[in-house]
Amino acid sequence: MQIKVVRDVLDANKAVAEAMRRDYAAAGLFVLNVMSSPGSGKTTLLQKTLAALAGRLRIAVIVGDICTTNDAERLSKSADVPVVQICTDAFGGDCHLAAHVVREAAAGLPLQDLDLLIVENVGNLVCPAEFDIGEDRRAVVLSVTEGEDKPLKYPLMFQVCDVALLSKVDLLPHLDFNMKLCRQAIQDVHPGMRVLEVSAKSGQGMDEWFGWILKQVAAKKQ
Amino acid sequence: MQIKVVRDVLDANKAVAEAMRRDYAAAGLFVLNVMSSPGSGKTTLLQKTLAALAGRLRIAVIVGDICTTNDAERLSKSADVPVVQICTDAFGGDCHLAAHVVREAAAGLPLQDLDLLIVENVGNLVCPAEFDIGEDRRAVVLSVTEGEDKPLKYPLMFQVCDVALLSKVDLLPHLDFNMKLCRQAIQDVHPGMRVLEVSAKSGQGMDEWFGWILKQVAAKKQ
Protein backbone atom coordinates (compact mmCIF):
# COMPACT_ATOMS: atom_id res chain seq x y z
CA MET A 1 0.00 0.00 0.00
CA GLN A 2 2.70 2.44 1.01
CA ILE A 3 4.80 1.61 -2.06
CA LYS A 4 1.80 2.14 -4.31
CA VAL A 5 1.34 5.66 -2.91
CA VAL A 6 4.99 6.56 -3.40
CA ARG A 7 4.86 5.39 -7.00
CA ASP A 8 1.88 7.62 -7.71
CA VAL A 9 3.70 10.61 -6.28
CA LEU A 10 6.79 9.78 -8.33
CA ASP A 11 4.77 9.41 -11.54
CA ALA A 12 3.17 12.81 -11.04
CA ASN A 13 6.56 14.33 -10.25
CA LYS A 14 8.10 12.80 -13.39
CA ALA A 15 5.45 14.34 -15.64
CA VAL A 16 6.13 17.81 -14.21
CA ALA A 17 9.90 17.30 -14.51
CA GLU A 18 9.66 16.33 -18.17
CA ALA A 19 7.67 19.46 -18.98
CA MET A 20 10.28 21.54 -17.13
CA ARG A 21 13.10 19.90 -19.11
CA ARG A 22 11.37 20.84 -22.39
CA ASP A 23 10.89 24.45 -21.25
CA TYR A 24 14.47 24.81 -20.03
CA ALA A 25 15.85 23.31 -23.25
CA ALA A 26 13.85 25.85 -25.23
CA ALA A 27 15.43 28.60 -23.10
CA GLY A 28 18.94 27.18 -23.73
CA LEU A 29 19.37 26.63 -20.02
CA PHE A 30 21.48 23.83 -18.51
CA VAL A 31 20.25 22.57 -15.13
CA LEU A 32 22.53 20.79 -12.64
CA ASN A 33 21.10 19.01 -9.57
CA VAL A 34 23.65 18.72 -6.73
CA MET A 35 22.86 16.18 -4.00
CA SER A 36 24.57 14.76 -0.90
CA SER A 37 24.26 13.96 2.81
CA PRO A 38 23.97 16.89 5.22
CA GLY A 39 27.33 18.54 5.80
CA SER A 40 29.23 17.14 2.81
CA GLY A 41 30.31 20.66 1.87
CA LYS A 42 27.89 21.34 -1.01
CA THR A 43 27.45 25.00 -0.18
CA THR A 44 31.18 25.73 0.22
CA LEU A 45 31.84 23.89 -3.05
CA LEU A 46 29.18 25.97 -4.79
CA GLN A 47 30.48 29.22 -3.29
CA LYS A 48 33.85 28.53 -4.93
CA THR A 49 32.12 27.42 -8.12
CA LEU A 50 30.14 30.65 -8.40
CA ALA A 51 33.24 32.74 -7.69
CA ALA A 52 35.14 30.90 -10.44
CA LEU A 53 32.46 30.68 -13.12
CA ALA A 54 30.23 33.74 -12.67
CA GLY A 55 32.44 35.72 -15.07
CA ARG A 56 32.14 33.06 -17.79
CA LEU A 57 28.54 31.88 -17.48
CA ARG A 58 25.24 33.51 -16.56
CA ILE A 59 24.31 31.50 -13.47
CA ALA A 60 21.47 31.28 -10.96
CA VAL A 61 21.11 29.01 -7.93
CA ILE A 62 18.11 27.45 -6.24
CA VAL A 63 18.93 26.02 -2.84
CA GLY A 64 16.70 23.66 -0.87
CA ASP A 65 16.65 23.19 2.88
CA ILE A 66 14.04 22.22 5.39
CA CYS A 67 14.64 25.41 7.36
CA THR A 68 16.84 28.53 7.38
CA THR A 69 18.14 30.76 4.60
CA ASN A 70 21.78 30.21 5.68
CA ASP A 71 22.89 28.66 2.42
CA ALA A 72 21.28 31.27 0.18
CA GLU A 73 22.93 34.01 2.23
CA ARG A 74 26.33 32.33 1.91
CA LEU A 75 25.90 31.83 -1.85
CA SER A 76 24.72 35.39 -2.42
CA LYS A 77 27.96 36.69 -0.95
CA SER A 78 30.11 34.61 -3.33
CA ALA A 79 29.10 36.20 -6.60
CA ASP A 80 26.55 38.55 -8.08
CA VAL A 81 24.09 35.87 -9.18
CA PRO A 82 20.41 35.37 -8.35
CA VAL A 83 19.85 32.90 -5.50
CA VAL A 84 16.48 31.51 -4.44
CA GLN A 85 16.03 29.63 -1.16
CA ILE A 86 13.34 26.96 -0.90
CA CYS A 87 12.42 26.01 2.67
CA THR A 88 10.54 22.74 2.49
CA ASP A 89 8.99 23.22 5.92
CA ALA A 90 6.37 25.13 3.95
CA PHE A 91 5.64 21.77 2.22
CA GLY A 92 5.44 19.54 5.30
CA GLY A 93 9.21 19.47 5.91
CA ASP A 94 9.92 17.50 2.74
CA CYS A 95 13.21 15.60 2.73
CA HIS A 96 13.84 16.34 -0.96
CA LEU A 97 13.00 18.87 -3.65
CA ALA A 98 10.09 17.92 -5.89
CA ALA A 99 9.74 19.09 -9.49
CA HIS A 100 6.80 21.44 -8.94
CA VAL A 101 8.60 23.16 -6.06
CA VAL A 102 11.68 23.81 -8.19
CA ARG A 103 9.48 25.02 -11.08
CA GLU A 104 7.80 27.51 -8.76
CA ALA A 105 11.18 28.78 -7.49
CA ALA A 106 12.60 29.00 -11.03
CA ALA A 107 9.61 30.98 -12.29
CA GLY A 108 10.99 34.07 -10.57
CA LEU A 109 14.34 33.81 -12.39
CA PRO A 110 15.23 35.33 -15.81
CA LEU A 111 15.53 31.86 -17.41
CA GLN A 112 15.96 33.17 -20.98
CA ASP A 113 19.05 35.10 -19.88
CA LEU A 114 20.79 32.26 -18.05
CA ASP A 115 23.27 29.56 -19.13
CA LEU A 116 23.34 27.50 -15.96
CA LEU A 117 20.89 26.84 -13.15
CA ILE A 118 22.39 25.01 -10.20
CA VAL A 119 19.98 23.36 -7.77
CA GLU A 120 21.47 22.53 -4.38
CA ASN A 121 19.12 19.85 -3.09
CA VAL A 122 18.13 19.11 0.53
CA GLY A 123 20.94 17.32 2.41
CA ASN A 124 19.88 13.68 2.19
CA LEU A 125 21.62 10.78 0.45
CA VAL A 126 18.39 8.81 -0.01
CA CYS A 127 15.16 10.51 -1.05
CA PRO A 128 16.32 13.24 -3.48
CA ALA A 129 17.66 10.48 -5.76
CA GLU A 130 14.08 9.42 -6.46
CA PHE A 131 12.79 12.82 -7.54
CA ASP A 132 13.49 14.09 -11.06
CA ILE A 133 13.46 17.90 -10.93
CA GLY A 134 13.83 18.56 -14.67
CA GLU A 135 17.64 18.65 -14.54
CA ASP A 136 20.12 17.82 -17.33
CA ARG A 137 22.82 16.34 -15.10
CA ARG A 138 23.15 15.19 -11.49
CA ALA A 139 26.17 15.41 -9.21
CA VAL A 140 26.57 13.63 -5.88
CA VAL A 141 29.00 15.03 -3.31
CA LEU A 142 30.42 12.51 -0.81
CA SER A 143 32.68 13.86 1.90
CA VAL A 144 35.61 11.58 2.64
CA THR A 145 34.70 11.98 6.33
CA GLU A 146 31.60 9.85 5.61
CA GLY A 147 33.51 6.65 4.88
CA GLU A 148 34.31 4.67 1.76
CA ASP A 149 31.36 2.26 1.94
CA LYS A 150 28.60 4.81 1.33
CA PRO A 151 28.20 4.08 -2.43
CA LEU A 152 27.38 0.47 -1.56
CA LYS A 153 24.95 1.51 1.18
CA TYR A 154 23.21 4.24 -0.85
CA PRO A 155 23.49 2.82 -4.37
CA LEU A 156 20.53 4.60 -5.97
CA MET A 157 22.08 8.03 -5.44
CA PHE A 158 25.28 6.95 -7.17
CA GLN A 159 23.37 5.19 -9.94
CA VAL A 160 21.25 8.21 -10.88
CA CYS A 161 24.14 10.71 -10.81
CA ASP A 162 26.52 11.51 -13.65
CA VAL A 163 29.50 12.55 -11.57
CA ALA A 164 30.67 11.88 -8.00
CA LEU A 165 32.70 14.49 -6.14
CA LEU A 166 34.73 13.10 -3.25
CA SER A 167 34.97 16.24 -1.13
CA LYS A 168 37.10 17.48 1.79
CA VAL A 169 40.14 15.53 0.57
CA ASP A 170 42.29 18.00 2.55
CA LEU A 171 41.20 15.97 5.63
CA LEU A 172 42.48 12.62 4.26
CA PRO A 173 45.70 12.65 6.36
CA HIS A 174 43.54 12.66 9.50
CA LEU A 175 41.06 9.95 8.46
CA ASP A 176 40.98 6.17 8.02
CA PHE A 177 39.54 6.49 4.52
CA ASN A 178 40.48 4.03 1.78
CA MET A 179 40.23 5.94 -1.52
CA LYS A 180 40.80 2.82 -3.62
CA LEU A 181 37.92 0.99 -1.90
CA CYS A 182 35.66 4.01 -2.33
CA ARG A 183 36.41 4.29 -6.03
CA GLN A 184 35.81 0.56 -6.40
CA ALA A 185 32.49 0.84 -4.54
CA ILE A 186 31.39 3.59 -6.94
CA GLN A 187 32.33 1.49 -9.97
CA ASP A 188 30.49 -1.50 -8.47
CA VAL A 189 27.19 0.41 -8.35
CA HIS A 190 27.74 2.64 -11.41
CA PRO A 191 30.36 1.26 -13.82
CA GLY A 192 32.21 4.01 -15.67
CA MET A 193 31.03 6.79 -13.35
CA ARG A 194 33.17 9.93 -13.46
CA VAL A 195 34.83 10.59 -10.07
CA LEU A 196 36.56 13.82 -8.99
CA GLU A 197 38.58 14.26 -5.79
CA VAL A 198 38.11 17.82 -4.58
CA SER A 199 38.75 20.17 -1.70
CA ALA A 200 37.00 23.53 -1.74
CA LYS A 201 39.38 24.52 1.08
CA SER A 202 42.72 23.72 -0.60
CA GLY A 203 41.47 24.07 -4.17
CA GLN A 204 42.57 20.54 -5.11
CA GLY A 205 40.59 19.18 -8.06
CA MET A 206 38.42 22.29 -8.36
CA ASP A 207 39.63 23.20 -11.86
CA GLU A 208 38.63 19.75 -13.07
CA TRP A 209 35.15 20.28 -11.58
CA PHE A 210 34.80 23.72 -13.18
CA GLY A 211 35.94 22.20 -16.50
CA TRP A 212 33.34 19.43 -16.22
CA ILE A 213 30.57 22.01 -15.73
CA LEU A 214 31.77 24.22 -18.62
CA LYS A 215 31.87 21.22 -20.93
CA GLN A 216 28.33 20.14 -20.00
CA VAL A 217 26.93 23.64 -20.52
CA ALA A 218 28.69 23.99 -23.88
CA ALA A 219 27.37 20.61 -25.04
CA LYS A 220 23.81 21.68 -24.24
CA LYS A 221 24.19 24.86 -26.32
CA GLN A 222 25.13 22.88 -29.43
CA MET B 1 -2.77 15.32 -1.19
CA GLN B 2 0.78 14.12 -0.60
CA ILE B 3 0.77 15.37 3.00
CA LYS B 4 -2.51 13.60 3.68
CA VAL B 5 -0.99 10.30 2.56
CA VAL B 6 2.09 10.76 4.72
CA ARG B 7 -0.07 11.49 7.75
CA ASP B 8 -2.01 8.25 7.25
CA VAL B 9 1.22 6.28 7.09
CA LEU B 10 2.49 8.01 10.23
CA ASP B 11 -0.75 7.33 12.13
CA ALA B 12 -0.57 3.64 11.26
CA ASN B 13 3.10 3.56 12.25
CA LYS B 14 2.36 5.23 15.59
CA ALA B 15 -0.23 2.64 16.52
CA VAL B 16 2.23 -0.20 15.88
CA ALA B 17 4.98 1.64 17.81
CA GLU B 18 2.77 2.11 20.85
CA ALA B 19 1.90 -1.59 20.95
CA MET B 20 5.63 -2.38 20.70
CA ARG B 21 6.41 -0.01 23.58
CA ARG B 22 3.88 -1.81 25.79
CA ASP B 23 5.33 -5.22 24.89
CA TYR B 24 8.93 -4.14 25.48
CA ALA B 25 8.02 -2.53 28.80
CA ALA B 26 6.42 -5.80 29.90
CA ALA B 27 9.67 -7.59 28.97
CA GLY B 28 11.73 -5.04 31.00
CA LEU B 29 13.56 -4.03 27.84
CA PHE B 30 14.95 -0.54 27.21
CA VAL B 31 15.01 0.50 23.54
CA LEU B 32 17.35 3.20 22.20
CA ASN B 33 16.94 4.60 18.66
CA VAL B 34 20.20 6.06 17.27
CA MET B 35 19.87 8.38 14.26
CA SER B 36 22.15 10.59 12.15
CA SER B 37 23.29 11.57 8.66
CA PRO B 38 25.21 8.95 6.66
CA GLY B 39 28.81 8.70 7.82
CA SER B 40 28.49 10.42 11.22
CA GLY B 41 30.22 7.48 12.85
CA LYS B 42 27.18 5.69 14.37
CA THR B 43 28.55 2.21 13.79
CA THR B 44 32.02 2.94 15.19
CA LEU B 45 30.40 4.59 18.22
CA LEU B 46 28.20 1.53 18.75
CA GLN B 47 31.13 -0.86 18.30
CA LYS B 48 32.89 0.86 21.22
CA THR B 49 29.61 0.97 23.16
CA LEU B 50 29.06 -2.77 22.81
CA ALA B 51 32.65 -3.52 23.78
CA ALA B 52 32.29 -1.36 26.92
CA LEU B 53 28.81 -2.39 28.05
CA ALA B 54 28.32 -6.01 26.93
CA GLY B 55 29.75 -7.25 30.24
CA ARG B 56 27.30 -5.14 32.26
CA LEU B 57 24.08 -5.34 30.26
CA ARG B 58 22.41 -7.96 28.09
CA ILE B 59 22.33 -6.15 24.74
CA ALA B 60 21.08 -6.76 21.20
CA VAL B 61 21.35 -4.52 18.16
CA ILE B 62 19.10 -4.01 15.14
CA VAL B 63 20.79 -2.07 12.36
CA GLY B 64 19.01 -0.53 9.39
CA ASP B 65 20.50 0.21 6.00
CA ILE B 66 19.16 0.39 2.50
CA CYS B 67 21.71 -2.16 1.32
CA THR B 68 24.64 -4.26 2.60
CA THR B 69 25.26 -6.10 5.87
CA ASN B 70 28.51 -4.16 6.50
CA ASP B 71 27.35 -2.60 9.76
CA ALA B 72 25.97 -5.81 11.25
CA GLU B 73 29.25 -7.55 10.44
CA ARG B 74 31.26 -4.79 12.12
CA LEU B 75 29.02 -4.81 15.20
CA SER B 76 29.10 -8.60 15.50
CA LYS B 77 32.86 -8.49 15.79
CA SER B 78 32.78 -6.00 18.68
CA ALA B 79 31.05 -8.14 21.28
CA ASP B 80 29.16 -11.38 21.63
CA VAL B 81 25.69 -9.88 21.23
CA PRO B 82 22.89 -10.71 18.79
CA VAL B 83 22.84 -8.36 15.78
CA VAL B 84 20.07 -8.22 13.18
CA GLN B 85 20.50 -6.34 9.89
CA ILE B 86 17.46 -4.82 8.20
CA CYS B 87 17.98 -3.97 4.53
CA THR B 88 15.19 -1.63 3.52
CA ASP B 89 15.67 -2.33 -0.17
CA ALA B 90 13.32 -5.22 0.56
CA PHE B 91 10.72 -2.55 1.45
CA GLY B 92 11.15 -0.27 -1.56
CA GLY B 93 14.47 1.22 -0.39
CA ASP B 94 12.89 3.04 2.55
CA CYS B 95 14.87 5.99 3.88
CA HIS B 96 13.97 5.20 7.50
CA LEU B 97 12.99 2.31 9.74
CA ALA B 98 9.26 1.92 10.31
CA ALA B 99 7.77 0.38 13.45
CA HIS B 100 6.48 -2.82 11.86
CA VAL B 101 9.88 -3.49 10.27
CA VAL B 102 11.66 -3.17 13.62
CA ARG B 103 9.02 -5.34 15.29
CA GLU B 104 9.60 -8.06 12.70
CA ALA B 105 13.38 -7.88 13.22
CA ALA B 106 13.03 -7.88 17.03
CA ALA B 107 10.74 -10.93 16.97
CA GLY B 108 13.76 -13.15 16.37
CA LEU B 109 15.56 -11.84 19.48
CA PRO B 110 15.28 -13.22 23.06
CA LEU B 111 13.53 -10.04 24.28
CA GLN B 112 12.74 -11.42 27.77
CA ASP B 113 16.46 -11.99 28.36
CA LEU B 114 17.66 -8.54 27.26
CA ASP B 115 18.19 -5.25 29.11
CA LEU B 116 18.95 -3.03 26.13
CA LEU B 117 17.98 -3.06 22.46
CA ILE B 118 19.89 -0.55 20.36
CA VAL B 119 18.42 0.33 16.96
CA GLU B 120 20.88 1.95 14.55
CA ASN B 121 18.58 3.69 12.09
CA VAL B 122 19.15 4.34 8.37
CA GLY B 123 21.63 7.20 7.82
CA ASN B 124 19.34 10.16 7.20
CA LEU B 125 18.90 13.33 9.26
CA VAL B 126 15.35 13.93 8.02
CA CYS B 127 12.87 11.08 7.64
CA PRO B 128 13.72 8.76 10.57
CA ALA B 129 12.77 11.59 12.95
CA GLU B 130 9.15 11.21 11.84
CA PHE B 131 8.84 7.48 12.53
CA ASP B 132 8.28 6.25 16.08
CA ILE B 133 9.71 2.72 16.31
CA GLY B 134 8.55 1.92 19.85
CA GLU B 135 11.72 3.22 21.48
CA ASP B 136 12.18 4.65 25.00
CA ARG B 137 14.85 7.20 24.10
CA ARG B 138 16.32 8.71 20.94
CA ALA B 139 19.91 9.81 20.32
CA VAL B 140 21.10 11.90 17.38
CA VAL B 141 24.74 11.74 16.33
CA LEU B 142 26.12 14.80 14.53
CA SER B 143 29.68 14.65 13.27
CA VAL B 144 31.56 17.89 13.74
CA THR B 145 32.64 17.53 10.10
CA GLU B 146 29.01 18.31 9.12
CA GLY B 147 29.08 21.90 10.35
CA GLU B 148 27.59 23.74 13.31
CA ASP B 149 24.39 24.91 11.58
CA LYS B 150 22.81 21.49 11.11
CA PRO B 151 20.51 21.66 14.20
CA LEU B 152 18.91 24.81 12.70
CA LYS B 153 18.55 23.19 9.28
CA TYR B 154 17.23 19.84 10.53
CA PRO B 155 15.34 20.94 13.65
CA LEU B 156 12.84 18.07 13.89
CA MET B 157 15.60 15.51 14.43
CA PHE B 158 17.02 17.52 17.32
CA GLN B 159 13.56 18.19 18.75
CA VAL B 160 12.52 14.54 18.90
CA CYS B 161 15.81 13.29 20.37
CA ASP B 162 16.75 13.17 24.05
CA VAL B 163 20.50 13.47 23.65
CA ALA B 164 22.83 14.85 20.94
CA LEU B 165 26.28 13.33 20.47
CA LEU B 166 28.72 15.62 18.69
CA SER B 167 31.04 13.00 17.23
CA LYS B 168 34.54 12.89 15.72
CA VAL B 169 35.74 15.69 18.00
CA ASP B 170 39.30 14.37 17.43
CA LEU B 171 39.07 16.14 14.04
CA LEU B 172 38.28 19.58 15.53
CA PRO B 173 41.84 20.92 15.13
CA HIS B 174 41.52 20.41 11.36
CA LEU B 175 38.04 21.93 10.92
CA ASP B 176 36.39 25.37 10.92
CA PHE B 177 33.76 24.22 13.41
CA ASN B 178 32.39 26.58 16.04
CA MET B 179 31.36 24.42 19.02
CA LYS B 180 29.76 27.32 20.85
CA LEU B 181 27.52 28.14 17.86
CA CYS B 182 26.58 24.47 17.48
CA ARG B 183 25.61 24.14 21.14
CA GLN B 184 23.60 27.36 20.83
CA ALA B 185 21.85 26.05 17.71
CA ILE B 186 20.87 22.89 19.58
CA GLN B 187 19.49 24.90 22.51
CA ASP B 188 17.59 27.12 20.07
CA VAL B 189 15.65 24.18 18.63
CA HIS B 190 15.53 22.03 21.81
CA PRO B 191 16.07 24.04 25.00
CA GLY B 192 17.73 21.99 27.73
CA MET B 193 18.84 19.19 25.40
CA ARG B 194 21.69 17.06 26.75
CA VAL B 195 24.80 17.35 24.56
CA LEU B 196 27.87 15.11 24.68
CA GLU B 197 31.12 15.72 22.80
CA VAL B 198 32.60 12.36 21.85
CA SER B 199 35.28 10.67 19.80
CA ALA B 200 35.07 6.93 19.35
CA LYS B 201 38.63 7.13 18.03
CA SER B 202 40.30 8.94 20.95
CA GLY B 203 37.80 7.85 23.60
CA GLN B 204 36.96 11.42 24.59
CA GLY B 205 33.53 11.70 26.19
CA MET B 206 32.76 8.01 25.76
CA ASP B 207 32.48 7.27 29.49
CA GLU B 208 29.88 10.00 29.79
CA TRP B 209 27.92 8.37 26.93
CA PHE B 210 28.14 4.91 28.52
CA GLY B 211 27.02 6.44 31.83
CA TRP B 212 24.02 8.08 30.15
CA ILE B 213 22.94 4.71 28.71
CA LEU B 214 23.40 2.84 32.00
CA LYS B 215 21.35 5.45 33.83
CA GLN B 216 18.50 5.25 31.29
CA VAL B 217 18.38 1.45 31.45
CA ALA B 218 18.43 1.48 35.25
CA ALA B 219 15.60 4.03 35.36
CA LYS B 220 13.44 1.80 33.16
CA LYS B 221 13.95 -1.20 35.47
CA GLN B 222 12.59 0.69 38.49
Side-chain angles (χ1 to χ4, degrees):
Chain A
M1 184 58 146
Q2 192 181 350
I3 291 174
K4 173 70 169 60
V5 170
V6 171
R7 292 233 168 101
D8 288 348
V9 171
L10 289 175
D11 287 347
N13 183 77
K14 186 82 181 170
V16 175
E18 283 173 358
M20 290 164 71
R21 202 154 20 238
R22 284 192 297 274
D23 291 346
Y24 299 156
L29 177 64
F30 178 84
V31 183
L32 176 63
N33 180 5
V34 181
M35 298 178 279
S36 81
S37 302
S40 70
K42 282 188 302 301
T43 307
T44 305
L45 182 90
L46 293 179
Q47 286 181 284
K48 304 281 181 170
T49 305
L50 294 181
L53 297 184
R56 303 178 63 176
L57 297 172
R58 298 167 300 171
I59 311 177
V61 183
I62 294 174
V63 53
D65 276 301
I66 297 170
C67 292
T68 84
T69 55
N70 291 3
D71 288 357
E73 289 164 28
R74 289 169 59 193
L75 291 165
S76 295
K77 288 177 191 158
S78 305
D80 184 23
V81 304
V83 179
V84 180
Q85 175 84 52
I86 297 171
C87 288
T88 68
D89 59 358
F91 312 93
D94 269 3
C95 52
H96 59 273
L97 293 179
H100 68 281
V101 175
V102 174
R103 184 169 60 181
E104 187 75 14
L109 293 168
L111 299 181
Q112 294 286 345
D113 301 325
L114 293 173
D115 303 305
L116 170 64
L117 174 63
I118 300 175
V119 182
E120 181 185 340
N121 219 308
V122 178
N124 181 336
L125 206 53
V126 188
C127 318
E130 298 188 55
F131 285 81
D132 187 343
I133 55 168
E135 71 277 65
D136 293 292
R137 291 286 181 277
R138 300 184 182 105
V140 55
V141 183
L142 177 70
S143 162
V144 293
T145 61
E146 295 175 54
E148 62 271 329
D149 62 343
K150 295 302 168 292
L152 299 177
K153 292 174 71 175
Y154 302 86
L156 183 65
M157 182 59 83
F158 288 82
Q159 284 157 356
V160 302
C161 284
D162 301 284
V163 61
L165 286 87
L166 303 178
S167 68
K168 305 195 190 182
V169 292
D170 57 285
L171 290 174
L172 282 173
H174 314 294
L175 304 173
D176 304 316
F177 181 87
N178 188 321
M179 183 61 79
K180 193 176 163 193
L181 278 184
C182 187
R183 284 182 165 271
Q184 184 58 54
I186 292 171
Q187 298 307 318
D188 286 349
V189 300
H190 184 161
M193 188 178 200
R194 180 76 180 272
V195 179
L196 305 178
E197 298 179 19
V198 301
S199 166
K201 201 167 180 176
S202 74
Q204 183 184 331
M206 294 296 281
D207 283 339
E208 196 178 354
W209 163 237
F210 303 150
W212 183 86
I213 294 174
L214 289 168
K215 191 174 162 187
Q216 305 298 320
V217 174
K220 171 102 182 211
K221 295 272 180 195
Q222 285 167 357
Chain B
M1 182 56 148
Q2 191 180 350
I3 291 173
K4 172 74 167 60
V5 170
V6 172
R7 293 234 167 99
D8 289 348
V9 170
L10 289 175
D11 287 347
N13 183 77
K14 187 81 181 170
V16 174
E18 283 172 358
M20 291 164 70
R21 201 152 23 237
R22 285 193 296 274
D23 291 347
Y24 299 156
L29 177 64
F30 178 84
V31 182
L32 176 63
N33 180 5
V34 181
M35 297 178 279
S36 81
S37 301
S40 70
K42 282 188 302 301
T43 307
T44 305
L45 182 89
L46 293 179
Q47 286 181 284
K48 304 280 181 171
T49 306
L50 294 181
L53 297 184
R56 303 178 62 177
L57 297 172
R58 298 167 300 172
I59 311 177
V61 183
I62 293 174
V63 52
D65 276 302
I66 296 170
C67 292
T68 84
T69 55
N70 291 2
D71 288 358
E73 289 163 29
R74 288 170 59 194
L75 292 165
S76 295
K77 288 176 191 158
S78 305
D80 184 22
V81 304
V83 179
V84 180
Q85 175 84 51
I86 297 171
C87 287
T88 68
D89 60 357
F91 310 93
D94 270 4
C95 52
H96 59 274
L97 293 180
H100 68 281
V101 176
V102 175
R103 183 169 61 180
E104 187 75 14
L109 292 168
L111 300 180
Q112 295 286 345
D113 301 325
L114 293 174
D115 302 306
L116 171 62
L117 174 62
I118 300 175
V119 182
E120 181 184 340
N121 219 308
V122 178
N124 182 335
L125 206 54
V126 188
C127 317
E130 298 189 54
F131 286 81
D132 186 344
I133 55 168
E135 71 277 65
D136 293 292
R137 291 287 181 275
R138 300 184 182 104
V140 54
V141 183
L142 177 70
S143 163
V144 293
T145 61
E146 295 175 55
E148 62 271 329
D149 62 343
K150 295 302 168 293
L152 299 178
K153 293 173 72 175
Y154 302 86
L156 183 64
M157 182 59 83
F158 288 82
Q159 284 157 356
V160 303
C161 284
D162 302 284
V163 62
L165 285 88
L166 303 178
S167 67
K168 304 193 190 184
V169 291
D170 56 284
L171 290 173
L172 282 172
H174 314 294
L175 304 173
D176 304 317
F177 181 88
N178 187 322
M179 183 61 78
K180 193 177 164 194
L181 278 184
C182 187
R183 284 182 166 270
Q184 185 58 54
I186 292 171
Q187 298 307 317
D188 286 349
V189 300
H190 184 161
M193 187 178 200
R194 180 76 181 271
V195 179
L196 306 178
E197 298 179 19
V198 300
S199 166
K201 201 167 179 176
S202 74
Q204 184 184 332
M206 294 296 282
D207 283 339
E208 197 178 354
W209 163 237
F210 303 151
W212 184 86
I213 293 174
L214 288 168
K215 190 174 162 188
Q216 305 298 319
V217 174
K220 172 102 182 212
K221 295 272 181 197
Q222 284 168 356

